mmCIF file of all heavy atoms in Angstrom:
data_model
loop_
_atom_site.group_PDB
_atom_site.id
_atom_site.type_symbol
_atom_site.label_atom_id
_atom_site.label_comp_id
_atom_site.label_asym_id
_atom_site.label_seq_id
_atom_site.Cartn_x
_atom_site.Cartn_y
_atom_site.Cartn_z
ATOM 1 N N SER G 526 171.693 146.304 30.962
ATOM 2 C CA SER G 526 170.337 146.008 30.727
ATOM 3 C C SER G 526 170.028 144.529 30.947
ATOM 4 O O SER G 526 168.882 144.045 30.854
ATOM 5 C CB SER G 526 169.916 146.276 29.315
ATOM 6 O OG SER G 526 170.653 145.521 28.377
ATOM 7 N N SER G 527 171.076 143.709 31.241
ATOM 8 C CA SER G 527 170.903 142.253 31.321
ATOM 9 C C SER G 527 171.123 141.821 32.751
ATOM 10 O O SER G 527 172.067 142.351 33.439
ATOM 11 C CB SER G 527 171.876 141.573 30.345
ATOM 12 O OG SER G 527 171.868 140.187 30.656
ATOM 13 N N SER G 528 170.377 140.832 33.225
ATOM 14 C CA SER G 528 170.661 140.236 34.489
ATOM 15 C C SER G 528 171.831 139.368 34.536
ATOM 16 O O SER G 528 172.180 138.779 35.501
ATOM 17 C CB SER G 528 169.441 139.503 35.022
ATOM 18 O OG SER G 528 169.019 138.466 34.091
ATOM 19 N N GLU G 529 172.398 139.195 33.339
ATOM 20 C CA GLU G 529 173.539 138.286 33.278
ATOM 21 C C GLU G 529 174.897 139.109 33.162
ATOM 22 O O GLU G 529 175.800 138.702 32.487
ATOM 23 C CB GLU G 529 173.442 137.349 32.034
ATOM 24 C CG GLU G 529 172.286 136.391 32.144
ATOM 25 C CD GLU G 529 172.291 135.415 31.010
ATOM 26 O OE1 GLU G 529 173.173 134.540 30.918
ATOM 27 O OE2 GLU G 529 171.398 135.530 30.098
ATOM 28 N N GLY G 530 174.905 140.243 33.736
ATOM 29 C CA GLY G 530 176.096 141.127 33.700
ATOM 30 C C GLY G 530 177.239 140.390 34.376
ATOM 31 O O GLY G 530 177.189 139.445 35.091
ATOM 32 N N SER G 531 178.468 140.879 34.020
ATOM 33 C CA SER G 531 179.706 140.209 34.483
ATOM 34 C C SER G 531 179.829 140.374 35.977
ATOM 35 O O SER G 531 179.313 141.263 36.578
ATOM 36 C CB SER G 531 180.926 140.790 33.783
ATOM 37 O OG SER G 531 180.948 142.244 34.006
ATOM 38 N N ASP G 532 180.604 139.509 36.565
ATOM 39 C CA ASP G 532 180.791 139.473 38.043
ATOM 40 C C ASP G 532 182.035 140.199 38.396
ATOM 41 O O ASP G 532 183.025 140.343 37.617
ATOM 42 C CB ASP G 532 180.875 138.035 38.496
ATOM 43 C CG ASP G 532 179.617 137.301 38.034
ATOM 44 O OD1 ASP G 532 178.541 137.662 38.601
ATOM 45 O OD2 ASP G 532 179.713 136.347 37.247
ATOM 46 N N ILE G 533 182.110 140.677 39.646
ATOM 47 C CA ILE G 533 183.268 141.325 40.150
ATOM 48 C C ILE G 533 184.391 140.339 40.274
ATOM 49 O O ILE G 533 184.224 139.193 40.651
ATOM 50 C CB ILE G 533 182.976 141.912 41.487
ATOM 51 C CG1 ILE G 533 182.001 143.098 41.376
ATOM 52 C CG2 ILE G 533 184.217 142.395 42.229
ATOM 53 C CD1 ILE G 533 181.512 143.625 42.668
ATOM 54 N N ASP G 534 185.576 140.677 39.866
ATOM 55 C CA ASP G 534 186.741 139.881 39.859
ATOM 56 C C ASP G 534 187.406 140.027 41.286
ATOM 57 O O ASP G 534 188.056 141.078 41.533
ATOM 58 C CB ASP G 534 187.679 140.270 38.717
ATOM 59 C CG ASP G 534 188.953 139.469 38.671
ATOM 60 O OD1 ASP G 534 189.045 138.462 39.526
ATOM 61 O OD2 ASP G 534 189.849 139.667 37.902
ATOM 62 N N PRO G 535 187.297 138.951 42.065
ATOM 63 C CA PRO G 535 187.861 139.107 43.444
ATOM 64 C C PRO G 535 189.347 139.046 43.429
ATOM 65 O O PRO G 535 190.014 139.257 44.425
ATOM 66 C CB PRO G 535 187.285 137.963 44.207
ATOM 67 C CG PRO G 535 186.992 136.927 43.092
ATOM 68 C CD PRO G 535 186.631 137.698 41.911
ATOM 69 N N GLU G 536 190.018 138.731 42.327
ATOM 70 C CA GLU G 536 191.468 138.560 42.255
ATOM 71 C C GLU G 536 192.192 139.993 41.984
ATOM 72 O O GLU G 536 193.410 140.064 42.207
ATOM 73 C CB GLU G 536 191.861 137.596 41.143
ATOM 74 C CG GLU G 536 191.280 136.250 41.263
ATOM 75 C CD GLU G 536 191.708 135.510 42.540
ATOM 76 O OE1 GLU G 536 192.881 135.760 42.958
ATOM 77 O OE2 GLU G 536 190.940 134.761 43.115
ATOM 78 N N GLY G 537 191.438 141.010 41.601
ATOM 79 C CA GLY G 537 192.131 142.170 41.068
ATOM 80 C C GLY G 537 191.841 143.452 41.839
ATOM 81 O O GLY G 537 191.957 144.541 41.118
ATOM 82 N N PRO G 538 191.470 143.567 43.078
ATOM 83 C CA PRO G 538 191.231 144.843 43.722
ATOM 84 C C PRO G 538 192.551 145.626 43.818
ATOM 85 O O PRO G 538 193.583 145.054 44.157
ATOM 86 C CB PRO G 538 190.626 144.514 45.062
ATOM 87 C CG PRO G 538 191.059 143.139 45.355
ATOM 88 C CD PRO G 538 191.228 142.462 44.014
ATOM 89 N N GLN G 539 192.488 146.945 43.666
ATOM 90 C CA GLN G 539 193.703 147.761 43.737
ATOM 91 C C GLN G 539 193.387 148.954 44.682
ATOM 92 O O GLN G 539 192.398 149.685 44.481
ATOM 93 C CB GLN G 539 194.121 148.233 42.314
ATOM 94 C CG GLN G 539 194.222 147.229 41.244
ATOM 95 C CD GLN G 539 194.269 147.735 39.845
ATOM 96 O OE1 GLN G 539 194.501 148.940 39.687
ATOM 97 N NE2 GLN G 539 193.999 146.926 38.928
ATOM 98 N N GLU G 540 194.294 149.202 45.541
ATOM 99 C CA GLU G 540 194.186 150.434 46.396
ATOM 100 C C GLU G 540 194.852 151.553 45.696
ATOM 101 O O GLU G 540 195.977 151.437 45.256
ATOM 102 C CB GLU G 540 194.833 150.184 47.728
ATOM 103 C CG GLU G 540 194.499 151.270 48.748
ATOM 104 C CD GLU G 540 194.857 150.874 50.226
ATOM 105 O OE1 GLU G 540 195.461 149.723 50.380
ATOM 106 O OE2 GLU G 540 194.565 151.640 51.145
ATOM 107 N N ILE G 541 194.141 152.702 45.573
ATOM 108 C CA ILE G 541 194.552 153.874 44.894
ATOM 109 C C ILE G 541 195.106 154.906 45.815
ATOM 110 O O ILE G 541 194.501 155.248 46.823
ATOM 111 C CB ILE G 541 193.430 154.450 44.025
ATOM 112 C CG1 ILE G 541 192.908 153.445 43.071
ATOM 113 C CG2 ILE G 541 193.828 155.681 43.282
ATOM 114 C CD1 ILE G 541 191.716 153.824 42.243
ATOM 115 N N SER G 542 196.303 155.439 45.426
ATOM 116 C CA SER G 542 196.985 156.418 46.396
ATOM 117 C C SER G 542 196.258 157.769 46.280
ATOM 118 O O SER G 542 195.509 158.064 45.357
ATOM 119 C CB SER G 542 198.442 156.543 46.014
ATOM 120 O OG SER G 542 198.548 157.100 44.717
ATOM 121 N N ALA G 543 196.547 158.629 47.297
ATOM 122 C CA ALA G 543 195.951 159.928 47.395
ATOM 123 C C ALA G 543 196.435 160.844 46.166
ATOM 124 O O ALA G 543 195.694 161.593 45.645
ATOM 125 C CB ALA G 543 196.319 160.613 48.696
ATOM 126 N N ASP G 544 197.639 160.682 45.759
ATOM 127 C CA ASP G 544 198.169 161.450 44.621
ATOM 128 C C ASP G 544 197.510 161.061 43.390
ATOM 129 O O ASP G 544 197.282 162.002 42.484
ATOM 130 C CB ASP G 544 199.724 161.236 44.474
ATOM 131 C CG ASP G 544 200.468 161.750 45.737
ATOM 132 O OD1 ASP G 544 199.879 162.674 46.355
ATOM 133 O OD2 ASP G 544 201.629 161.274 45.959
#
Side-chain angles (χ1 to χ4, degrees):
S526 65
S527 170
S528 60
E529 295 185 72
S531 58
D532 302 294
I533 293 174
D534 181 2
E536 302 297 330
Q539 308 166 17
E540 190 166 4
I541 301 176
S542 66
D544 294 336

